[in-house]
Amino acid sequence: MITFIYKSSHGYYKENFPSLVAGIADRIEAKKHSTLVAIFDHNYGRAIYKSRDFEQYQRDLQQKLMSGFQ
C-alpha cells in the first residue's frame, strides 16, 4: 500500500492507494490543488518521497500528539 500525504488550506490529509501508479494517476486526474508532502511505501516501511514541507508536517504532527496528552 502507498500513502500520499497532502497539505491543503484546511490542513493535512492522507490518501491510500494499492500502488504508486494508482496514486499518481489519481493526482493527475483530480488535478489536486494541494501540496504533496510525502509518499510512504508500506512495503518498505519508509518514505519514498519527502518534500521540503515534510519537516513542518512532522513538527505539526508531534505538536498535535503532545497536545492530546495534556
Side-chain angles (χ1 to χ4, degrees), residues 3-15 34-38 40 51-64:
T3 300
F4 280 54
I5 299 175
Y6 299 103
K7 179 182 180 182
S8 71
S9 58
H10 302 290
Y12 297 100
Y13 65 97
K14 299 178 187 180
E15 290 184 349
S34 55
T35 303
L36 182 61
V37 175
F40 285 92
S51 74
R52 54 193 142 127
D53 294 323
F54 184 71
E55 289 180 19
Q56 182 63 45
Y57 165 74
Q58 285 184 310
R59 286 192 296 271
D60 291 348
L61 184 61
Q62 186 168 11
Q63 186 176 32
K64 187 177 179 181

Side-chain angles (χ1 to χ4, degrees), residues 19-39:
S19 70
L20 182 60
V21 173
I24 293 171
D26 178 75
R27 184 161 175 85
I28 292 169
E29 286 180 15
K31 296 181 177 142
K32 298 200 184 297
H33 298 287
S34 55
T35 303
L36 182 61
V37 175
I39 301 173

